[in-house]
Amino acid sequence: VDNSTGRDEVFIAYPDSSLNTDLPLIGRRAVLVGNGFPFSEDFFIGHDERKSLVFGSSTDLQKIKGVWIGEKMSKYFRNLSPENFASISLKFRLDYVVIESKYSQKFSDQYSVFNNDEFSVYRVNDLANRNSF
């Protein structure tokens, strides 16, 4: 991350990933939605909107089967397509998407900038340029 991305670039990782904490703390990179909470009431609406787009709104999550909220959020995130992330990036700054490798079938025709057994990373500009939405 430190050598391959700019300091102002923004990531999103799957909900139960330690990357949502590690990217800001260790990598010094922003995440679209992380484990932090806004320090000012002025930012609650934007935080909730970003969280709903990538992890599901309360209405969306009520429709998903699961034992706990984290499981439902993961299912919602895993269902998003490259087009969804490209569309989100039109509204909010988003440069990289981190997908669990075992759930990356929707990205099989996309170029990943990094991958291992655990996760794959995609540049949103590549998703936007390869897909029409």
Side-chain angles (χ1 to χ4, degrees):
V1 169
D2 204 28
N3 296 325
S4 302
T5 64
R7 292 241 182 243
D8 63 338
E9 294 187 300
V10 179
F11 287 74
I12 188 63
Y14 48 99
D16 56 349
S17 172
S18 63
L19 292 172
N20 286 312
T21 303
D22 293 349
L23 282 166
L25 293 177
I26 298 169
R28 296 182 304 253
R29 299 300 186 270
V31 290
L32 186 68
V33 179
N35 297 331
F37 199 69
F39 289 105
S40 168
E41 290 180 7
D42 294 341
F43 299 106
F44 285 154
I45 293 172
H47 175 269
D48 288 346
E49 186 176 4
R50 291 189 313 274
K51 186 176 178 183
S52 292
L53 286 171
V54 294
F55 299 145
S57 67
S58 58
T59 303
D60 295 328
L61 297 175
Q62 287 175 356
K63 299 173 188 174
I64 298 173
K65 292 183 181 183
V67 177
W68 67 291
I69 193 74
E71 177 184 6
K72 293 179 176 194
M73 289 168 48
S74 291
K75 287 180 179 180
Y76 186 90
F77 184 85
R78 290 172 185 147
N79 196 45
L80 295 175
S81 68
E83 294 85 3
N84 294 133
F85 289 108
S87 180
I88 290 167
S89 75
L90 297 175
K91 184 161 188 154
F92 294 103
R93 173 86 189 257
L94 179 60
D95 300 295
Y96 292 93
V97 178
V98 183
I99 304 292
E100 296 161 287
S101 292
K102 63 184 175 183
Y103 297 108
S104 62
Q105 299 86 352
K106 292 180 181 182
F107 292 78
S108 62
D109 64 340
Q110 305 295 321
Y111 170 76
S112 64
V113 295
F114 176 85
N115 62 36
N116 62 23
D117 290 339
E118 185 180 350
F119 59 85
S120 300
V121 181
Y122 300 90
R123 187 183 328 270
V124 173
N125 280 343
D126 294 342
L127 304 178
N129 291 332
R130 294 180 185 208
N131 295 295
S132 58
F133 49 93

